[in-house]
Structures are given as structure tokens and as C-alpha cells.
Amino acid sequence: MSNNPREPRHLDAVVIGAGFGGMYALHRLRDDLGMDVRAFEAGDGVGGTWYWNRYPGARCDAESILYSYSFDQDLQDSWTWSERYAAQPELLAYAEHVADRFDLRRSIDFGTRVSAAHYDEERKLWRVSTGTGTEVLARYLVTALGFLSASQSPDIDGLADFGGEVHHTGHWPHEGVDLDGKRVAVIGTGSSGIQAIPEIARQAAHLTVFQRTPHFSVPARNRPLTEEEVARVRADYPALRAEAGENAAGLIVAAAPGNAADLSPEERAAELQRRWEAGGLGFLSSFEDFLMDEDANATAAEFVRERIQETVRDARTAELLTPADYPIGTKRICLDTGYYETYNRDDVSLVSIREHPIERVTPTGVRVNGVDHEVDVIVLATGFDAFTGPYTRMDLRGRGGRPISQAWEEGPRSYLGVAVAGFPNMFTITGPGSPSALTNVLASIEQHVDWITDHIGYLEESGMVAEAEEAAQDAWVDHVGEIASYTLYPKAGSWYMGANVPGKPRVFLPYAGGLPLYREQCDKVAAEGYTGFAHTPRECGPAHDPVRKNPNSSY
Ligand code: N01
């Protein structure tokens, strides 16, 4: 440590975020590598997404038994999921259980948002500043920001002057919102809106849903897990994890019987019906070419449209709810519990804002096409500035003081979704260009953190600093784009494409090649000595602190 009293504290690594990614990174770096690590977390507790997204109806849509850490058998054995898809309180309780079990909280500064992280090129250290005035220096910066953490609110005239309450689903008040007897507006019908709408309808006096684009939704078929199921899962956990590890999305779903064209119309209908009844994301695996072939996709889309038409009684409402102009699955598929049925209630109305966008919010309601819809509460289920928002909203600068917003001006550039050229010793968990958003994110997180930990271990042993090479990064960005071009994803204006944020470059953000292929490429890079990374000597200068190997130090 420097003798300069004004010198910030030195750490080996800073982890930003204490969601599932940050918690696991903290555990691996601190407890396995023995590094002096500090995590900074804006919230007052662990859990990330599940700390913030407390809106009614919030739950995971990967099955709980897989939407959980696999790295520790005792941890697996110590937790019992109550439902097929756990609700937010249970997911948050799980995150807290993990934090307790691995004693993570002592290394986390809660209520502390990182405001800036600048790479000091001369000293080869990251200088990290927080909103609470803390400043530290660290050799490694591990960003566990979450790719859906920067909420996006619409720029609607008058919203700031609304006389009632306004809440974004991604920042739901922890004390809850009393909607009893209230007139409520929900703006947005993506996964958050579709989960919240049936629950809000049950509580509110009247619910008005403002929909710009109808989204496809399939039934979740959530249910309690039986004791026998829990026992079976516990006995088979390693095998189940291994099976999920071979699936592109890190899930266990019945394999597709082939391409749609290989099946007769009756076989196609039967396959779709089977998966519709089973519920869940397995619907997307009805055909091997579901997300690749327009005709295959159209068959599945038509099947869902028919289910909407037969569920929603009012013909005009049914028509408005029926997606027509993008392939199913190319905007993130939603899982619901009674979503379409909700529109059969007398106290729920649907207002399309497609042809006539919201004109303005008045002090007492929402005006569309000259009609004032009077409400007491406005719920913004309007999504997130996905992948890049959490980075560009922070003052993050790499070599030469270059801001990430400049490096990513024309869309994010990353090597393997885990590193960025010009940002040495920075590792991004589930960054742009990683499979993350198209997978069971817990599986993606574990793969990323394990790979990053190995890489950092290698750097510590060799005394090197790692930086992604421009050429390797260019090749990865091209590869991500090329794989996406084989799919139907680019055909929708989705957050996968950055299309939900005005002015954001249209670039397909996640890696669509699937987890196994991705893992294989990451493993190959590691096995070959981290190809695509320039490793330069760290050079111990006077300010450099050697690794202290003191997992218990609390700075
Ligand atoms: O956000 P979204 P989300 N005026 O972007 C509309 C994950 N997640 O929070 O489609 C009017 O999907 C927008 O309209 P359009 C999951 O990965 C998972 O719902 O852009 N409307 C859309 O209807 C998911 O995909 C779960 O035309 C505006 C909605 O708001 C991701 O998070 C649960 C508007 C936003 O939908 C994001 O989901 C929840 C404007 N200016 C979330 N701007 C699980 O089930 C946006 N909209 C695990």
C-alpha cells in the first residue's frame, strides 16, 4: 500500500453488482482465488433483478430447479423450490440464502452505486468511484451489471405532472403499491406487463392497458412442485444439470421432432398442442427450425393466434391482442398465467396506441386520440435499455480516457461477450455478444464467472494484464452478427435489437449460437493460452500492491 495518505485503498478486484452474477464472481474470486475483493451494489440487498422487480406477478420463466446455482451440491441440497416457476419473493429469499451461506455480505457495500470507473493506464489499475464518495484502486474490474437493469421510461408529455402515482415495474416500491379500488393504467405488454396485468386486474377497480405492439405469450402452467418431484430432482440433480448443459438455452426441453417441413400438418398441430399444454419455453422447440425458417415459424404463430381468438371473447379486443407483423419468438416470448383471459373481465380495457400513440399524460389520466382515460396509478412496464444501458449510463473509461459510450457508438463491441478492446483487465459478465439473454441466465452466469476466474487466476500467476485484441473482437462481433443473420431475430423491432430505445443502434445484442457452442469457443480460447487477448507484463511500480491472498480482509 502506498504511504500517501490520500492514495485510495487498493483492492485486487472490484465487482460491480450483487445480483446472481456478482454474488458468484465475488465468491469465486474471494474464496477460491483468495483475492481481496469488494463488490459495490446500488441496492440495499443482494438479488439484482429480483431485488428491484417486485411488481405483482413477477416470477422467473426458466424452471426454478434450473434457475439456480449448480456449482455447489450442498447448496443445491439446502434449498427446496416450491413452484415450477418461483415468484420474486422466493427468488430473492434464495439470493439471500446464498449470501448467508457463503458469507458474501461482508464483502459488499450496499446502497453504493458505482458512478465512475476509469482505467489508469500508467499504473494499470482501475480507479473506481461511487456515489457515496468511496474511491478504490483495483487490478480487475468485473462488471456484473445485468443486461436488463437499466430501466427505460417513455418520454411522454405530461408524465412528470401526473397527479397520481407512477411506478416502473423494474423499480417497484419495496413496501408494495396499494391498488385496491384504484383505476390503474399499464403501459407496455412485454414479459413484465403480461405477468403484472392479470394480478393488477384482480386488485384494481379498473385496469386500462395501453398496448403498442401485441406480444406472443404462451401459458406458463405454473404449479406447486410435489414432494416426489423435489425428491426426484434432488436425487438426479447432476444428471439434470448435465442434460441442461447440452441444450442451446441451458434448459431441459423435449427435443424437436425435426424441421416443421418434415412433419405432416397433423403432426405439426399435435406437436404445438402438446407443448402448449405442457406450458413454458419448450414451445419454442416445437420444430428445429422454429426460429430459422419463416414457414415453420408462421405455423407456430398461427397456432398461437388461434388460441388468442378462441380465448378472448370480444372480437375487437382479440384482434388487437393478436400479433401480426413479426415472427413468434423474435421479440422475447412471454409466459403467462391467465393473460388473455384477463381481457374477458368487465373491469379491464385495452387501448391500442399503435396508430394513435399516447398524446400526453394529463394530471388525471392518459390521453389517446382525444380521449382521456382517467386513472389513479400509472404502471410503466416499458422495459430496459438492454445490455448497453448499464454500461453507458456509468462514467466508464478505458485506455486513453475513452468512454465506453464512444467505443460503442455504433453498437457494442466485445470479445466473447466477456471483454472489450481498450478496457484492460475488465471482464463483463453476460455482456453484449454473450448468449445470456437467450439462455437460462444462471447457466450463462456460471459459465462466464468460471471462465473469468480461470483467466484472472492465470493473470495473477503470470503477472500479466489482459486486453482483448481489436482483431479478435472484430471477428467475434462479425460472428455474432453472422449467426443472428441465419435466424429470424433481426425481423422484429425488439430489445434484442436495441429497437426499444430511441436512437440506439440496431445491432443484435446477444449471441444466438447457443451455450454449448459458445462454451466450446471460450474453452478453446483458454486452452490455447487465451488467444485473442494481448497479455502484457503488469510491471510492479511503486503503487502496485501484490496479491495479498487475504480473503478475510475488509478494507
Ligand atoms: O420489457 P419489454 P419487459 N410507449 O421491452 C412497450 C425479461 N423479463 O420489462 O413492443 C408505449 O419486453 C413496448 O412496446 P413495443 C425478459 O427477457 C422476464 O416487459 O416496443 N409503449 C412493450 O410492449 C423480457 O423480454 C420476465 O412496441 C412502450 C413494453 O413496453 C425483458 O425482461 C419477466 C414504449 C416493453 O416490453 C423485458 O421485459 C419480466 C413507449 N414509449 C421481464 N416503450 C420473466 O418472465 C416501450 N413500450 C422471467
Side-chain angles (χ1 to χ4, degrees):
M1 180 83 65
S2 158
N3 292 328
N4 179 353
R6 291 172 56 187
E7 173 80 353
R9 288 160 202 261
H10 282 240
L11 296 163
D12 297 328
V14 161
V15 174
I16 311 180
F20 285 126
M23 289 166 69
Y24 186 43
L26 172 58
H27 167 59
R28 291 282 343 255
L29 296 179
R30 186 192 70 181
D31 302 335
D32 291 342
L33 292 192
M35 298 178 88
D36 191 5
V37 189
R38 202 80 204 150
F40 294 115
E41 164 56 53
D44 287 330
V46 294
T49 286
W50 306 107
Y51 174 87
W52 298 106
N53 287 261
R54 300 181 187 223
Y55 60 85
R59 59 177 73 245
C60 55
D61 64 2
E63 303 202 16
S64 318
I65 60 157
L66 297 175
Y67 192 84
S68 48
Y69 293 116
S70 69
F71 68 87
D72 183 278
Q73 186 59 39
D74 291 342
L75 170 63
Q76 272 186 173
D77 290 343
S78 71
W79 188 262
T80 303
W81 293 106
S82 68
E83 291 182 278
R84 182 178 180 189
Y85 303 100
Q88 176 271 333
E90 190 172 4
L91 290 158
L92 186 58
Y94 173 72
E96 285 168 352
H97 170 75
V98 175
D100 288 341
R101 213 179 156 83
F102 295 96
D103 193 14
L104 298 179
R105 286 189 184 82
R106 70 179 157 87
S107 303
I108 305 172
D109 282 13
F110 291 106
T112 306
R113 184 177 288 279
V114 169
S115 50
H118 295 178
Y119 188 66
D120 181 333
E121 221 169 323
E122 210 172 298
R123 300 170 76 181
K124 302 193 175 172
L125 296 173
W126 280 96
R127 181 180 293 262
V128 179
S129 318
T130 74
T132 55
T134 306
E135 192 167 81
V136 294
L137 290 166
R139 280 199 300 291
Y140 302 97
L141 182 68
V142 178
T143 57
L145 305 176
F147 53 88
L148 291 166
S149 59
S151 63
Q152 181 71 15
S153 291
D155 184 13
I156 303 175
D157 278 354
L159 187 58
D161 300 323
F162 178 61
E165 296 173 53
V166 181
H167 302 291
H168 192 287
T169 48
H171 292 281
W172 201 256
H174 289 193
E175 63 282 9
V177 181
D178 182 8
L179 298 172
D180 267 10
K182 303 261 175 68
R183 296 163 304 171
V184 181
V186 172
I187 302 175
T189 53
S191 300
S192 303
I194 281 177
Q195 285 187 331
I197 283 164
E199 294 293 328
I200 293 177
R202 272 192 274 281
Q203 296 169 35
H206 190 92
L207 168 63
T208 309
V209 176
F210 295 87
Q211 172 193 267
R212 188 164 67 182
T213 310
H215 288 226
F216 285 100
S217 187
V218 301
R221 310 243 186 253
N222 185 40
R223 57 179 175 73
L225 294 175
T226 64
E227 271 180 38
E228 295 73 48
E229 277 175 298
V230 168
R232 206 171 339 115
V233 166
R234 201 156 271 162
D236 289 348
Y237 239 138
L240 293 171
R241 296 287 191 184
E243 188 182 345
E246 296 190 355
N247 174 267
L251 297 168
I252 296 178
V253 292
N259 286 339
D262 301 335
L263 309 176
S264 69
E266 295 73 27
E267 286 170 330
R268 286 198 287 269
E271 190 64 30
L272 290 164
Q273 183 66 34
R274 236 191 322 275
R275 289 176 191 259
W276 180 265
E277 276 160 22
L281 296 172
F283 190 79
L284 293 176
S285 302
S286 301
F287 315 125
E288 263 166 29
D289 52 355
F290 192 112
L291 285 162
M292 317 272 278
D293 181 83
E294 299 215 31
D295 291 338
N297 189 281
T299 311
E302 193 49 31
F303 177 90
V304 176
R305 289 191 195 106
E306 286 166 10
R307 302 290 80 71
I308 298 171
Q309 301 287 328
E310 70 189 21
T311 305
V312 180
R313 287 200 288 269
D314 178 70
R316 174 68 185 141
T317 306
E319 189 190 329
L320 289 177
L321 286 169
T322 302
D325 54 5
Y326 61 92
I328 180 170
T330 55
K331 273 162 108 66
R332 174 69 146 73
I333 193 87
C334 304
L335 298 194
D336 72 275
T337 302
Y339 175 65
Y340 294 115
E341 290 83 349
T342 299
Y343 292 92
N344 293 332
R345 296 175 66 116
D346 295 335
D347 52 5
V348 174
S349 21
L350 178 66
V351 176
S352 174
I353 50 173
R354 197 179 178 88
E355 275 80 38
H356 302 285
I358 295 172
E359 265 169 66
R360 63 174 300 108
V361 169
T362 69
T364 56
V366 180
R367 184 176 301 160
V368 177
N369 200 17
V371 177
D372 283 322
H373 302 268
E374 301 283 301
V375 294
D376 306 302
V377 180
I378 296 177
V379 174
L380 301 174
T382 46
F384 302 88
D385 182 353
F387 281 103
T388 53
Y391 290 87
T392 55
R393 290 182 189 188
M394 194 195 320
D395 179 12
L396 176 59
R397 292 164 193 257
R399 272 193 298 106
R402 190 172 195 219
I404 192 108
S405 51
Q406 205 181 81
W408 287 359
E409 210 162 12
E410 290 168 18
R413 305 192 68 74
S414 131
Y415 180 41
L416 298 170
V418 85
V420 181
F423 293 74
N425 272 6
M426 178 178 91
F427 294 98
T428 60
I429 300 174
T430 66
S434 73
S436 51
L438 303 178
T439 67
N440 164 16
V441 75
L442 262 291
S444 280
I445 282 171
E446 286 192 325
Q447 184 274 341
H448 255 191
V449 171
D450 288 341
W451 192 92
I452 290 167
T453 305
D454 288 350
H455 195 171
I456 289 180
Y458 171 89
L459 296 172
E460 286 297 286
E461 270 176 29
S462 57
M464 295 284 175
V465 170
E467 182 184 340
E469 291 168 341
E470 290 281 357
Q473 177 168 281
D474 290 348
W476 184 254
V477 171
D478 289 349
H479 177 58
V480 170
E482 189 187 352
I483 297 257
S485 75
Y486 300 145
T487 73
L488 300 173
Y489 284 116
K491 293 191 179 294
S494 66
W495 61 259
Y496 293 146
M497 293 291 298
N500 64 324
V501 177
K504 190 165 171 170
R506 298 272 176 123
V507 172
F508 189 72
L509 295 163
Y511 176 65
L515 253 180
L517 178 61
Y518 176 77
R519 186 181 296 112
E520 204 180 286
Q521 294 179 85
C522 289
D523 290 349
K524 183 165 182 282
V525 164
E528 291 174 357
Y530 296 99
T531 44
F533 284 88
H535 285 161
T536 51
R538 199 152 75 202
E539 289 166 19
C540 281
H544 169 68
D545 233 5
V547 181
R548 274 163 287 180
K549 302 286 177 206
N550 176 7
N552 296 317
S553 87
S554 164
Y555 80 110

